[in-house]
Amino acid sequence: MERVYTNKAPEAVGPYSQAVISGRYVFTSGQLGIGQDGKLGASIKEQTENAIKNTEAVLLSVGLGLDAVVKTTCYLADIKDFAVFNEVYAKYFTNKPARSLIEAAALPKGSLIEIDVVAETENKV
């Protein structure tokens, strides 16, 4: 297992890695709606964009893009935000990976969203 770190995404808020590589797979930890300024976005739309961009930054650090994602798990603090979330998500995940989406009672730092992914690469074996 290889640990992944990039300074282009928020640091882990606990004792875990931003992502790990195991065989042909990259497993990211959950990315929150934190922007480059270190603050949560003001809306579900902004937080979704931030979470996806953070995920992309972690993947780019190992030479992958969002097109390598095969599975996403998404957590919303309020399922009523689903339509806006889904609209933003569809712009970025054009390869339509498998997805689970769960309403969570609370997310770290008061975030409205958290996303983690599994990506596949033939380059890391």
Side-chain angles (χ1 to χ4, degrees), residues 5 11 19 33 41 45 52-53 60-61 84 94 101-102 105 115:
Y5 171 79
E11 295 208 19
K45 181 177 182 181
I52 293 171
K53 288 177 182 177
L60 286 172
S61 76
V84 174
T94 57
L101 186 136
I102 302 157
I115 298 174

Side-chain angles (χ1 to χ4, degrees), residues 60-76:
L60 286 172
S61 76
V62 295
L64 298 175
L66 294 176
D67 59 331
V69 173
V70 295
K71 173 75 166 80
T72 67
T73 305
C74 307
Y75 306 87
L76 294 177

